[in-house]
Amino acid sequence: MARFTDRTVIVTGAAQGIGEGYAKALAAEQAKVVVADLNSERGEAVAKQITADGGTAVFREVDVSDPESTAAVAEFTVGEFGRIDHLVNNAAIYGGMKLDLLLTVPWDYYKKFMSVNLDGALNMTRAVWKQMSKQGGGSIVNQSSTAAWQYSGFYGLAKAGINSLTQQLAHELGGSNIRINAIAPGPIDTEATRSIVPGKYVDELVKTAAIKRLGTPEDLVGACLYLLSDDAKWVTGQILNVDGGQVFRA
């Protein structure tokens, strides 16, 4: 059954990988999807593929670190579809990310990284919440990571920030009937992961999980659809691990 008929959703970072998987799955359940990304070539291709498959999607360029850009994508969405029901904050600097220590990473790079990987989710939420509230509510999913509970430098710091942001915003948005939750994936087999994580380290990560394989973007789709949908209408402020049993949290 299509849970998102007549619903509109913005998916950031939807030009490839996990975000692309979310966008296509939402369109398959009849959502009208805004594929939002900096990469216009790949983003346009994803939107065109969704349309060719019988779904409804448009591309819009966005820089989530820029409040003016996030406000513009929200305005575009309302102009295109008349409403905003759901938001997936998936955009992040990951593929091609610098590998460095918190103690030594160049400050300008660190600030840019955090402006996308942490502040970007807040910028997008600030851009959409008034429209959602005016409509009577909505739901948001943030992309976290199991890196939030392990040593992983500034990447883990950003994801720990996403977890706290999710919990804090749940209280600020609850009065407007807007729910916000996060998904924390374990290691996922994507182009970005293959480009940045050494194969030997990936093998070690797999060994620590209960299910001995890398995850796939498809493994995350069910959690995203559930948290956005009315099936989770009394779920907010939660961080849902989808990680093959990699991390135990008390």
Side-chain angles (χ1 to χ4, degrees):
M1 184 175 65
R3 288 173 286 183
F4 297 93
T5 302
D6 298 325
R7 305 281 186 90
T8 295
V9 56
I10 302 170
V11 183
T12 68
Q16 60 186 322
I18 294 169
E20 178 182 352
Y22 289 157
K24 289 180 174 179
L26 283 157
E29 290 212 21
Q30 304 302 309
K32 300 169 184 176
V33 179
V34 175
V35 174
D37 205 290
L38 266 179
N39 189 325
S40 57
E41 182 178 353
R42 296 185 74 157
E44 290 276 11
V46 170
K48 287 178 181 177
Q49 185 62 59
I50 288 172
T51 302
D53 291 339
T56 301
V58 292
F59 171 74
R60 175 70 181 194
E61 185 174 331
V62 67
D63 177 357
V64 298
S65 71
D66 179 1
E68 291 185 3
S69 183
T70 55
V73 76
E75 182 178 356
F76 168 83
T77 302
V78 175
E80 193 77 14
F81 297 122
R83 57 191 296 116
I84 304 171
D85 298 286
H86 311 289
L87 166 66
V88 181
N89 282 315
N90 173 73
I93 296 171
Y94 178 52
M97 175 179 70
K98 286 182 183 291
L99 298 179
D100 207 334
L101 304 175
L102 277 164
L103 295 173
T104 55
V105 62
W107 188 247
D108 287 347
Y109 182 82
Y110 169 82
K111 294 295 285 184
K112 176 60 178 177
F113 184 91
M114 288 297 183
S115 75
V116 174
N117 288 39
L118 176 56
D119 297 339
L122 179 56
N123 284 336
M124 281 300 309
T125 300
R126 286 165 62 110
V128 305
W129 80 271
K130 288 183 181 178
Q131 178 66 32
M132 285 185 178
S133 180
K134 184 169 71 172
Q135 296 164 191
S139 60
I140 300 169
V141 166
N142 293 331
Q143 192 78 339
S144 179
S145 169
T146 55
W149 299 287
Q150 303 175 73
Y151 169 67
S152 49
F154 49 88
Y155 181 75
L157 178 60
K159 294 305 185 181
I162 286 289
N163 292 350
S164 184
L165 179 70
T166 300
Q167 294 165 332
Q168 302 303 319
L169 284 176
H171 287 269
E172 294 192 14
L173 296 170
S176 297
N177 195 33
I178 300 169
R179 300 181 299 100
I180 182 165
N181 296 284
I183 296 170
I188 303 297
D189 187 13
T190 62
E191 179 183 331
T193 296
R194 291 190 294 272
S195 73
I196 196 166
V197 183
K200 182 178 179 180
Y201 185 59
V202 170
D203 293 341
E204 290 301 314
L205 288 174
V206 169
K207 288 178 184 177
T208 67
I211 300 174
K212 307 298 184 184
R213 66 170 176 83
L214 289 177
T216 68
E218 290 73 23
D219 289 322
L220 306 177
V221 162
C224 183
L225 297 184
Y226 164 69
L227 289 172
L228 288 176
S229 77
D230 291 343
D231 291 342
K233 62 186 176 183
W234 207 47
V235 179
T236 195
Q238 302 305 304
I239 319 300
L240 177 58
N241 281 35
V242 184
D243 64 352
Q246 180 193 21
V247 170
F248 292 161
R249 293 191 290 136

